[in-house]
Amino acid sequence: MAQIDVHNLSDHAKFNGFHGMVLFWCALIIIFDGYDLAVAGIALPSIMKEMGVTPATAGYMVSSALFGMMFGAIFLGTVADKIGRRWAIVICIVLFSVFTAIAGLTHDPVMFSATRFLAGLGIGGVMPNVVAQMTEYSPRKIRSTLVTLMFSGYAVGGMLAAVLGKGLIETYGWSYVFFAAAAPVILIPFVLGSLPDSMPFLIKKGRIDELKRIVQRLEPSYIPSADDSFALPDPHTAHGAPIGKLFLDGRGFSTAMLWVAFFMCLFMVYALSSWLTKLMASAGYSLGSALTFVLVLNFGAMIGAIGGGWLADRFHIKYVLMSFYALAAVSITLLGVKMPTELLFIVVGLAGASTIGTQILTYAYVGQYYPMAIRSTGVGLASGVGRSGAILAPIVIGTLVSMSLPLQQNFLAIAVPAVISVIAIGLVNHKRSASAVH
């Protein structure tokens, strides 16, 4: 009888077509997720004009989706450990696709906010699940690279929203960029047929034949036998409440610090995603030019995510993260300084790399920090608690915009959280990380 440790097997497997398939589907889901999230910020100036709302009210409207994301990340991140990751991901796709499209049919702030809240449940819920999925099935040597490569789809979605926004908003109106969000629903049967479920979940449910087929694809040299038994090492077997496990084994303080970093990072990400178009338009740029800044922001995010993942697999991920947050503090502060447009594009790209790109790298770090059996819960809780930063950002910056402060002060308010994030990540005890014990 062979006793097979699936965690160890996944850690040491060589990258093959199975890994590529998991990467493809997770990245594609995140592209749609990123589109649905970015679309409100892209359309914000047009929505404000059509509905006749103030910047402060617009901030609350944008935050409604982020409020939904908080509940989605917590509930749909943890429920995956009970119903399986595939079904949790499918539920999220239905929520964010259908309700983003319905938001395009609304004509008043309340209905818009309600549909965006429901879409937010799916947008927030899918993130921890695909991070946990990619982390679980990635070889340890290239784990950060694969997770951040997958999550760079978030920036691709933002770029797609900016490109479609430039083409559709001025010609047909803002509703049409929302209608386009319904497309992912047709992919659901393919997701169910292609994505594997979590290995600890399959062991827990006794679905061993299914697990053997996955293990054979994960590691082609494995030849299944009727006598094989599958196990997880003790630290990766959750007994009792998974949420309580996040605070055991000396991880309590570090969990709190990861939550602080998430809060601050998501504040920066959503402040920029929601208000960059409007701030640049207020600074005298045309709507087309302002949308180009969003395109550059997300292009920078993609480069930052992939580059950050590459660096994290070669150097210590904790110190790579701290460096990125420091870059965010500098680049966001510089956005409020008068400079030639070409130079401003570079600074916007750096801001995207060090905020959206760093958020993706932070997801990768949290995914590696917790043991496999509580990974979805760990990522979901960090993301969910951090959502309060995302919720506050559009409201806080909307309030500042309505006060007609100098441009530099608006960007300074977005930069301060980056400094706090450097300190928080610096205080994480990496020796308690699951990835540090192998």
Side-chain angles (χ1 to χ4, degrees):
M1 177 190 282
Q3 177 86 359
I4 297 162
D5 175 352
V6 293
H7 187 134
N8 188 57
L9 188 140
S10 179
D11 274 357
H12 297 97
K14 290 184 178 177
F15 184 87
N16 60 36
F18 174 79
H19 298 98
M21 180 271 296
V22 174
L23 175 62
F24 170 78
W25 283 111
C26 289
L28 190 63
I29 291 163
I30 287 295
I31 288 171
F32 293 128
D33 197 50
Y35 177 92
D36 284 17
L37 187 56
V39 75
I42 294 295
L44 191 60
S46 303
I47 293 169
M48 288 174 68
K49 187 177 178 182
E50 184 181 304
M51 295 189 187
V53 296
T54 64
T57 303
Y60 283 101
M61 288 168 65
V62 172
S63 279
S64 59
L66 307 177
F67 195 58
M69 287 175 72
M70 180 176 72
F71 286 101
I74 294 171
F75 177 68
L76 290 166
T78 54
V79 82
D81 293 326
K82 295 178 174 64
I83 67 168
R85 227 173 264 149
R86 266 190 316 187
W87 278 106
I89 287 170
V90 164
I91 290 167
C92 292
I93 293 172
V94 171
L95 285 168
F96 70 63
S97 300
V98 172
F99 286 104
T100 297
I102 292 172
L105 298 169
T106 61
H107 301 287
D108 68 274
V110 175
M111 283 305 296
F112 179 87
S113 299
T115 52
R116 288 300 287 160
F117 172 83
L118 292 168
L121 292 173
I123 298 171
V126 85
M127 289 183 183
N129 281 300
V130 291
V131 171
Q133 184 81 340
M134 200 69 246
T135 302
E136 177 176 329
Y137 284 110
S138 296
R140 183 156 54 95
K141 284 185 179 178
I142 55 169
R143 186 166 289 155
S144 294
T145 299
L146 291 182
V147 171
T148 51
L149 185 63
M150 173 208 74
F151 236 119
S152 66
Y154 173 86
V156 175
M159 291 163 69
L160 187 63
V163 170
L164 283 181
K166 288 184 78 169
L168 293 175
I169 292 173
E170 291 178 328
T171 309
Y172 301 105
W174 65 268
S175 295
Y176 283 81
V177 287
F178 282 79
F179 296 156
V185 173
I186 62 173
L187 294 174
I188 286 172
F190 301 101
V191 172
L192 283 171
S194 302
L195 267 189
D197 244 319
S198 167
M199 291 187 286
F201 176 77
L202 294 175
I203 292 171
K204 184 180 172 185
K205 295 295 181 182
R207 288 156 57 180
I208 303 304
D209 288 342
E210 189 177 340
L211 179 63
K212 285 179 180 178
R213 289 193 295 271
I214 290 170
V215 171
Q216 205 170 13
R217 295 176 71 193
L218 187 67
E219 181 49 75
S221 63
Y222 164 72
I223 299 169
S225 165
D227 295 331
D228 289 347
S229 69
F230 294 85
L232 294 161
D234 288 341
H236 300 274
T237 309
H239 299 287
I243 292 172
K245 276 275 187 179
L246 304 180
F247 295 89
L248 297 180
D249 305 321
R251 286 191 291 266
F253 181 75
S254 295
T255 291
M257 289 301 99
L258 289 169
W259 289 0
V260 169
F262 250 89
F263 178 98
M264 296 301 166
C265 188
L266 289 171
F267 183 98
M268 293 186 291
V269 167
Y270 292 104
L272 288 174
S273 296
S274 305
W275 284 104
L276 185 64
T277 306
K278 183 65 178 173
L279 285 170
M280 289 307 183
S282 302
Y285 295 94
S286 67
L287 179 61
S289 298
L291 288 172
T292 304
F293 283 117
V294 177
L295 196 62
V296 172
L297 182 82
N298 283 285
F299 182 74
M302 187 172 66
I303 301 301
I306 296 169
W310 184 85
L311 289 168
D313 279 328
R314 281 150 186 81
F315 304 100
H316 202 301
I317 187 170
K318 173 176 170 174
Y319 300 114
V320 172
L321 257 182
M322 290 173 70
S323 303
F324 271 55
Y325 280 128
L327 177 61
V330 175
S331 58
I332 295 170
T333 302
L334 287 174
L335 287 177
V337 177
K338 276 281 183 188
M339 63 181 77
T341 306
E342 294 79 9
L343 187 57
L344 186 57
F345 278 129
I346 294 171
V347 174
V348 170
L350 288 173
S354 56
T355 53
I356 302 171
T358 307
Q359 181 211 1
I360 294 165
L361 195 57
T362 309
Y363 268 105
Y365 188 34
V366 174
Q368 293 176 32
Y369 190 80
Y370 295 108
M372 189 188 289
I374 57 169
R375 190 165 286 149
S376 287
T377 300
V379 176
L381 261 291
S383 178
V385 172
R387 287 294 148 206
S388 50
I391 292 164
L392 280 173
I395 299 169
V396 170
I397 304 305
T399 304
L400 292 178
V401 170
S402 64
M403 292 165 65
S404 301
L405 295 170
L407 191 67
Q408 189 164 12
Q409 290 187 27
N410 289 313
F411 283 117
L412 203 57
I414 303 172
V416 169
V419 178
I420 299 170
S421 295
V422 174
I423 298 166
I425 292 296
L427 292 172
V428 170
N429 182 357
H430 189 77
K431 290 177 183 176
R432 297 294 180 184
S433 167
S435 61
V437 297
H438 300 294

